[in-house]
Amino acid sequence: MIALLPGWRARRRLLAALYVGVAAIFILAPLAVVMIVAFTSASFVSFPPPGYSLRWLAKVMGDAAFMRPLLNSVLLGLAAAAVAAVLAVPAAVAIGRRSVRWSAELEAFLLAPLSLPALIMALALLFFLARFGLATSGWGLLIGHVVITLPYVLRTVLAVQRGLDASLVEAAHVLGATPARAFLSVTLPLLRPGIVAGSLFAFLISFDELAVALLLSSATTATLPVAILNHVAHNYDPAVAAISLVKIVLVIVVLLTLERLYGLDRLMLSRVRRA
Amino acid sequence: MSSAAGRRLGALLAVPAVAFLAAFFVGPLLLALAESLGLTRGATGTGHYARIFGDTYYLEVMRDTVLLAAGVTGAALVVGYPYALILARARGAAKAALLFLLVAPLLVTVVVRTFGWMIVFGRRGLVNAALGALGLPALDILNSWTAIAVALVHVLLPFMVLSIASTLESLDPAFEEAAATLGAPPWRQFLHVVAPLSRDGAVAGSILVFALAIGSFVTVMVMGDNRTMVLPLLVYQQLTVASDWPFAAALGMVLLAIVLAVFWLQARIARRAAA
Amino acid sequence: MKGRLDIAGVVKRYGTTVAVDGVTLVVPPGSMTALLGPSGCGKTTLLRCIAGLADLDAGSIAVDGADIGALPPWRRGLGMVFQSYALFPHMTVAENAAFGLRMRGTGRAEARERVARALALVRLEGFEERRPSELSGGQQQRAALARALVTEPPVLLLDEPLSALDAKLRHAMRLELRELQRRLGITTIVVTHDQDEAMAMADQVAVMNAGRIEQVASPETVYRRPATPFVAEFVGRTNRLEGRATAAGELDVGDVGGRVQLPMGHGLVQGALGLALLRPEHLRVEQAAGAAAPRLAGKVVDVVFAGDRVEIVVACGALKLLAVQPGGSAVPAPGEAVSLAWRAEDLMVWPR
């Protein structure tokens, strides 16, 4: 097929394929080596591994030093996503109505946490919560993660809302629905894809967040990224690779669900429009 | 229901989110600012700032931080642009695959990806294994700025690519075709048409990557040594190791100021482009 | 005169669909040819093949005898106006117009002069420093035209050039385009789905259907002597009569419950299925049944006044036939019994 094309188009296609190949190696190399090293039989990190076994996977799966933080991360992610959605969805509805004054300013304010380094937010929150003795209580983690994930939910829901036909709600009013009924039976169901996708994003971002988690967690509330980082800081062994593999598999499962349910490209491209 | 009442009710929906961010985002930031000026200890002083700007060590760290972020941004732009171009042109399954390749690593903890690069660059890692196979001497590049920059480009590439791609997606392919029929070979189509028309996306992506790069400390913490210090890592160390909170706050405010300066620059560029 | 375009055996496939299926067409130098057809007939694909924006799977394209089929678009030197105009939004009108000259390395002074001439040609003097977004639709169209013409290409390609304009402007631009093309004597291919537009502008019309050219002829021939039923039905309105040829040189049309006399040389053998088409303006509605054949008896069901003409719908058996008469002529009332008459040679007949 390519041989039949005139030279320039074939050359361009070949060049693009070559580039994607090199980019794929760059993107996947650090992930691939982690996955491979997770199966090493050696007690130290080397590449390629001298032999293969499941000993490190078995070790981390039975190690409370990793499993406890994994559970913490899942619970924190779910809680942060839920709270962020409860706060962000009504706000998105308010902003989406052009009749609300200052809606552009409101949107800019609610999206502001996106633009600042998480470390600065974590630092500020640490000072703030320390005054109330809540710095490492677990509440701090939740509050910090809600601040960080709220803009993502807001943006995803707004993107869906802006694509909606305003006359649908008007039609509901004409048909006799009160504003409350119209919201519950028309607006909310239509926004559901955005709410679900936004909450999933919020979960994944919280699941991966490090700055807030580092400064505001204690030994009992440490999240998985914190546990991994602590482990890396003190030992350079394949356990990190093994727990990373567990986490990568978890994330891929979530990602595939997302793709299956909503189509990844729509979510991703609308997600960065304002970035 | 009157439209004024509707407007008031609509605005009410945003109150919880606004209140939450006012309490846990704006409030803590103001507190951190006050802390950096010693206000919370009953004194007003710019002593911490004088210490930062009077010490060549801190000035050098600031310079290295900005240089690293700028280098990472430049590299991400050069590496990411072609990817964005190919992504924006792709259709169907190829597009989904390119997107998946790009964003899948986004959802794997920075620590894990950094660990991957440690395996790649480590003394017994992938690069040295490859060099050894070629009969070349091993390199010690793990703790260098180069290794840190490569790892950061890897972490931040998706943000750059998605920003540029969303601009390119909306670019009518007829522009390039028109340039072609007017005698422009592909590189001139790019230079005169595609590049200027996708500048907004490239600028937005660069600003985003710069802001994220300048706030990154985990990669430097894990991969670097005492010769590679950046501002956010310094903040982190002041908080956790030195426990000098007011000084950490002052360093954090300097970091914040740099980020805000970059956003201000972007706004100026955007305004000039619009004029 | 230069600018002869030879298209021979061009085939273009997308996957398993054949968009252009073996098209051969000669465009004489200095003439304007319209590629006319419904959407999806392959006319735009053929234009893109000529411009080099789509690759040929077979066939050749030559300008003045030189094969350009394998050249990339930027080496073909043809002018093209896109349906969306594709004016570069980040450049002024003058910069847009100068783009082709810039790509050819034309000197500054000469380029400025030629841009000025091209803009004067399309009556856009004084708009040099405007951005495309500051132009009206018609002005954008003229700017795109100036940009395509400034390099003095041997062949000009127009892709639905008027479709983005409103109806009034479209009529005016039709004449203007035609006049400009005549004045410059530039070989031009215009793609359109609008038969009126094709008829009004082109010297020859190529009617396309399903990737093939059904007929290439002057607008008058295409209308009066269509080569196929598709052409007849696409370039104008028709009434459709289907039936079997009889020994007496008639078509037995079951739907109207009667026989219709076939014209001389109709080519149908006895008993063969035939399709006969009649243009509405060739039908005369007569209140008294005259003697002369051919004619059909029927009853008026609807009368529509359309300004300069009157459209009369007549039921003949199970068929409804449309007749068009000049406005102001005497018209029957709905319900009235009438007979439809026509000249035998106006009946267009094909075997089925």
Side-chain angles (χ1 to χ4, degrees), chain B residues 87-112:
Chain B
L87 178 64
R89 302 270 167 73
R91 292 286 166 264
K95 182 169 211 142
L98 284 170
L99 257 172
F100 196 82
L101 176 66
L102 186 69
V103 301
L106 195 70
L107 301 162
V108 178
T109 318
V110 174
V111 187
V112 174

Side-chain angles (χ1 to χ4, degrees), chain A residues 19 26-27 30 34 47 90 94 99 115 119 123-125 127-128 143 146 208 210 229 236 244 247 251 255 265 272, chain B residues 7 10 13 20 24 28 31 79 99 101 105 107 109 111-112 116 118 124 126 154 162 218 221-222 232 235 245 249 263:
Chain A
Y19 177 84
F26 172 68
I27 291 171
V34 168
F47 200 90
S99 62
S115 318
L119 178 67
L123 165 140
L125 215 52
F127 293 170
F128 184 75
I143 290 170
V146 171
D208 237 26
L210 198 50
L229 184 65
Y236 182 57
S244 302
K247 197 169 172 269
V251 164
L255 206 65
D265 59 337
V272 292
Chain B
R7 207 175 300 157
L13 290 171
F20 188 88
F24 299 117
L31 186 68
V79 176
L99 257 172
L101 176 66
L107 301 162
T109 318
V111 187
V112 174
M118 289 169 75
R124 276 187 287 190
L126 187 60
H154 182 261
L162 291 175
V218 175
M221 183 160 80
V222 175
V235 174
W245 284 19
F263 287 135

Side-chain angles (χ1 to χ4, degrees), chain C residues 92 143 152 207 304 333:
Chain C
T92 62
E152 293 170 15
V207 183
V304 179

Side-chain angles (χ1 to χ4, degrees), chain B residues 172 174-175 177-186 188-189 192-193 196-197, chain C residues 48 53 73-74 78 82 84 86-91 99-100 102-104 147:
Chain B
D172 186 351
F175 288 135
E177 292 176 352
T181 62
L182 290 166
R188 298 195 86 166
Q189 293 165 31
H192 298 298
V193 178
L197 290 178
Chain C
R48 292 173 62 81
L53 300 173
W74 56 91
L78 309 180
F82 289 75
S84 61
L87 289 167
F88 305 130
H90 59 301
M91 297 183 194
F99 192 87
R102 208 164 135 208
M103 294 304 115
R104 286 161 179 75
R147 182 176 72 176

Side-chain angles (χ1 to χ4, degrees), chain A residues 140-209:
Chain A
L141 274 181
L142 180 59
I143 290 170
H145 279 198
V146 171
V147 171
I148 286 173
T149 55
L150 191 151
Y152 286 93
V153 184
L154 181 78
R155 197 153 68 171
T156 317
V157 177
L158 260 182
V160 175
Q161 167 153 26
R162 298 225 157 105
L164 289 185
D165 186 351
S167 60
L168 290 171
V169 173
E170 289 169 0
H173 287 316
V174 172
L175 292 169
T178 60
R181 279 293 298 272
F183 179 77
L184 287 177
S185 56
V186 178
T187 310
L188 215 50
L190 289 171
L191 290 180
R192 213 180 56 190
I195 297 170
V196 173
S199 308
L200 269 167
F201 272 131
F203 174 81
L204 289 169
I205 282 156
S206 160
F207 200 57
D208 237 26
E209 203 282 336

